[in-house]
Amino acid sequence: YAAELVYRDVEGVERTASANRLEAECAEFELDVAGLRMGRQDVRLRVSRKGEAKALGEASLCFARLEKPLCRRVTFDAERKMLVDGKRFFPLGMYTSTMMTKENYDYYSQAPFNFAVQYGRASTVAQLDAYAAIGVFAAVDVRSLIYGYNYSAKSGLKTFAESQKALRAKYAEMGAHPALLMWYLNDEAPLSFVPNVTDVHNFLHEIDPERPTLTCICRPTEAFNFLPSFDVAAIDTYPIGHRDTSNPMHVVWERQRQTDEVMRGMRPHWYIPQMFTWEWYTKPEFRKLNGITDQHFPTREEMLNMTWQGIAAGANGIVMYSFEAMRRNLKDKAEFEKTWAEVVAVAREVKRFEPMLLSDDLPVAEGLPKEIGARAWRHGGRDWYLVVNRTREAAEGRIPLGAKAASLKAALGTGVTLASEGDALVCRFA
């Protein structure tokens, strides 16, 4: 097979370039950006059989060459960390909904949250005002404004032109609001919705170049196919009490890493920790069929492990699911407040280490045992290592440091002993 890239040059003439490398899942091209037309264009990949003119298939991605650098209010740096008004920002929050009332905003403000995914019908300015009053930015859900979108959120719009009109109106209503951080476009939808979501993603960038788009992906292998349709992927992995009664923890790390590998590191990825019990979403016959005997709201230790696993695997944002589900299902006030206190405790632990999460990453040597996940940062003249036991069993991780550690101190965690052996940091988990 042969692959070529089709693009417009500085004069607007259509040109083609042959692939430097062509593999089953990747075609690689190298172009001088100075040779591309100014402004936005779709660059197209065209695949054919060698020696034949007829194309077997095409795919496209939008590329923009700007005469002046865009100073976006919300963007991402080379480490895929979010920048808000030029400063690094670690999103920490939950999925909320249109059920937000004064009582619910009061609860939400008890946690050190700075972010919320407003999940459900598109937000109102009054809701954004309420978020701003408690120091929270919001992602506004516009799935119902995507033509043909009828997965988890229903859209009555039939054409892209109808979506454009509705999105212009929504942007006119709230586009200048300081609490609006990004647009929420997709929630676990199948691949058939990629064209519709991509059209809306690109259109939003036209009318609102200041803000990115967010999508939720539940099948990591499909992340590459969704690439044209989002700026940030949030991965939801909910292992506690789903289908495996052993409640495996290790899948959180694996799915985050798999998503990043499939996207080839081209997009930021966040993690959505499980803050619900599957009992709320499964019927007795499903549990019986799958032999599920233990469905419970994750314990604090389980919530912490999942959350830190996601961060260790490279997540630069945490959005828990979900405040709305907790409020809807935990009807007894005492039960809700007890469970809510556990969730808040998890958020506070993450917030405590926000300065490190916003610092520059350090490389972590490969070759860790499969039970261990690790990530490192440099902050305040020290190296900070996040090392997570991804299992419920005892485990040991040896991390080469390149030099002998002058001193060691555990900043968080339980049942962990540290040792410096040669130029390695050794973490032993009970």
Side-chain angles (χ1 to χ4, degrees):
Y1 295 95
E4 59 183 4
L5 194 72
V6 184
Y7 65 96
R8 297 278 176 179
D9 67 11
V10 288
E11 303 297 331
V13 177
E14 186 171 279
R15 303 285 185 183
T16 61
S18 298
N20 296 0
R21 180 168 63 94
L22 176 61
E23 298 174 355
E25 294 183 351
C26 180
E28 183 180 281
F29 302 85
E30 186 172 330
L31 290 176
D32 185 345
V33 173
L36 272 71
R37 191 187 67 187
M38 286 290 181
R40 299 173 69 88
Q41 65 168 299
D42 282 338
V43 293
R44 306 196 317 277
L45 166 68
R46 190 159 61 198
V47 177
S48 61
R49 286 190 175 88
K50 286 183 178 179
E52 295 184 9
K54 182 182 178 181
L56 296 173
E58 289 191 353
S60 65
L61 280 172
C62 188
F63 180 85
R65 184 181 172 207
L66 307 175
E67 297 199 31
K68 294 180 180 179
L70 260 183
C71 296
R72 291 187 173 97
R73 179 168 185 245
V74 184
T75 186
F76 299 88
D77 64 17
E79 291 196 356
R80 295 179 290 169
K81 294 180 170 72
M82 178 175 267
L83 301 176
V84 179
D85 296 325
K87 296 180 180 179
R88 279 182 174 173
F89 178 81
F90 187 90
L92 176 62
M94 299 189 78
Y95 277 72
T96 60
S97 77
T98 50
M99 67 179 285
M100 294 299 279
T101 61
K102 183 181 183 307
E103 181 183 39
N104 287 340
Y105 283 113
D106 288 343
Y107 277 124
Y108 204 75
S109 67
Q110 294 172 5
F113 291 143
N114 57 23
F115 182 63
V117 174
Q118 190 282 309
Y119 189 65
R121 295 186 303 275
S123 294
T124 64
V125 171
Q127 288 170 325
L128 290 178
D129 288 343
Y131 281 123
I134 58 173
V136 169
F137 291 108
V140 169
D141 187 348
V142 291
R143 289 173 297 157
S144 62
L145 305 183
I146 300 175
Y147 70 102
Y149 194 100
N150 60 1
Y151 187 85
S152 71
K154 305 296 182 182
S155 170
L157 307 181
K158 304 297 184 184
T159 66
F160 183 35
E162 289 179 309
S163 282
Q164 290 173 306
K165 181 179 179 181
L167 290 164
R168 283 190 189 279
K170 179 56 65 177
Y171 179 71
E173 175 192 354
M174 61 178 56
H177 202 289
L180 174 58
L181 193 73
M182 59 201 313
W183 304 99
Y184 189 68
L185 293 191
N186 189 13
D187 192 87
E188 297 187 343
L191 290 173
S192 57
F193 290 92
V194 170
N196 309 51
V197 180
T198 299
D199 286 343
V200 168
H201 163 81
N202 290 333
F203 181 69
L204 281 169
H205 275 296
E206 288 181 26
I207 64 174
D208 183 14
E210 295 286 314
R211 297 179 181 87
T213 63
L214 174 65
T215 195
C216 168
I217 292 176
C218 64
R219 294 171 291 273
T221 54
E222 295 181 356
F224 189 78
N225 303 84
F226 276 103
L227 266 179
S229 69
F230 66 85
D231 295 306
V232 183
I235 296 90
D236 54 354
T237 303
Y238 307 140
I240 307 300
H242 188 207
R243 293 175 183 268
D244 189 334
T245 53
S246 68
N247 292 321
M249 307 294 290
H250 61 90
V251 292
V252 173
W253 163 279
E254 291 168 2
R255 287 165 61 86
Q256 291 292 131
R257 296 293 286 234
Q258 184 183 18
T259 304
D260 193 38
E261 289 169 7
V262 166
M263 297 191 300
R264 293 176 173 81
M266 290 191 286
R267 296 285 191 278
H269 62 96
W270 299 350
Y271 174 50
I272 308 173
Q274 177 182 346
M275 305 294 174
F276 66 88
T277 168
W278 275 108
E279 192 174 17
W280 297 344
Y281 297 100
T282 56
K283 296 179 179 180
E285 52 268 30
F286 174 89
R287 296 195 286 270
K288 182 178 180 181
L289 181 66
N290 289 277
I292 299 172
T293 57
D294 177 19
Q295 287 188 322
H296 62 271
F297 198 99
T299 66
R300 184 189 297 195
E301 290 77 11
E302 288 170 334
M303 288 188 282
L304 284 167
N305 187 279
M306 288 188 288
T307 301
W308 285 119
Q309 266 197 67
I311 294 171
N316 285 317
I318 293 293
V319 196
M320 305 168 180
Y321 189 89
S322 93
F323 181 79
E324 181 268 340
M326 292 178 63
R327 290 299 278 153
R328 186 177 69 247
N329 291 283
L330 298 174
K331 300 186 184 302
D332 179 77
K333 184 174 182 179
E335 182 185 12
F336 169 78
E337 292 188 343
K338 180 182 177 181
T339 309
W340 177 241
E342 297 287 276
V343 173
V344 171
V346 173
R348 284 180 178 156
E349 184 169 291
V350 175
K351 190 71 174 181
R352 177 183 162 204
F353 292 92
E354 185 179 54
M356 278 60 81
L357 302 178
L358 296 176
S359 300
D360 290 337
D361 278 66
L362 290 173
V364 176
E366 298 295 326
L368 287 172
K370 61 179 174 32
E371 298 86 4
I372 302 296
R375 187 178 176 185
W377 302 264
R378 178 157 291 160
H379 173 76
R382 291 183 172 86
D383 294 345
W384 297 78
Y385 282 80
L386 168 61
V387 188
V388 186
N389 180 2
R390 299 165 46 220
T391 76
R392 298 177 183 273
E393 310 301 325
E396 178 179 305
R398 297 176 63 87
I399 302 173
L401 302 178
K404 185 174 178 61
S407 62
L408 297 174
K409 181 181 179 180
L412 79 162
T414 57
V416 183
T417 58
L418 303 179
S420 178
E421 298 181 2
D423 64 354
L425 166 65
V426 181
C427 302
R428 295 183 174 93
F429 294 87

